[in-house]
Amino acid sequence: MVELDYMLRCMIKSPAMQMSASYYSSDELDRATHNEDLFKGEDIEVRLDHKHMGIGGDDSWTPCTHEQYLIPPTPYSFSIPLFPVTAGTSSHDIYKSQLDN
């Protein structure tokens, strides 16, 4: 395991988003059928989810998402500034950086 002496803090400047980070890649999660089948990678994969579309219809024989729950294929824009956080970074520094942006 790699020991780091810093972290990254990010501030998402967009509508609300869900963010997750994992040692397991999307491909690895798709491949594995059980938790014990997962192989932990060396990198951390960060995932951002802006919107979620409905997963199906009203019953198992018509699995269509209702029109009002569809997400149209339109361009989306967002920015994610990254800020280094070290052992010497104070909570005041983090607070001030939020005000500056």
Side-chain angles (χ1 to χ4, degrees):
M1 175 124 178
V2 177
E3 294 281 331
L4 300 177
D5 57 355
Y6 65 91
M7 300 184 310
L8 285 177
R9 182 181 69 82
C10 69
M11 182 173 18
I12 299 175
K13 294 184 170 193
S14 71
M17 298 179 92
Q18 177 182 339
M19 181 176 181
S20 64
S22 175
Y23 282 107
Y24 304 108
S25 69
S26 296
D27 289 339
E28 182 64 15
L29 292 170
D30 287 341
R31 183 199 64 77
T33 55
H34 300 91
N35 287 348
E36 58 269 12
D37 297 336
L38 289 168
F39 292 102
K40 184 176 175 181
E42 293 182 15
D43 297 324
I44 297 173
E45 186 172 298
V46 177
R47 297 174 192 88
L48 299 173
D49 294 316
H50 176 53
K51 293 186 176 185
H52 294 272
M53 185 169 64
I55 58 170
D58 298 323
D59 49 50
S60 61
W61 55 89
T62 54
C64 299
T65 303
H66 292 277
E67 187 72 30
Q68 69 264 31
Y69 301 115
L70 294 174
I71 299 172
T74 59
Y76 293 97
S77 175
F78 59 90
S79 65
I80 305 174
L82 300 174
F83 303 93
V85 177
T86 65
T89 304
S90 71
S91 56
H92 181 264
D93 294 333
I94 295 171
Y95 176 76
K96 187 173 179 328
S97 72
Q98 291 175 352
L99 295 177
D100 293 340
N101 294 302

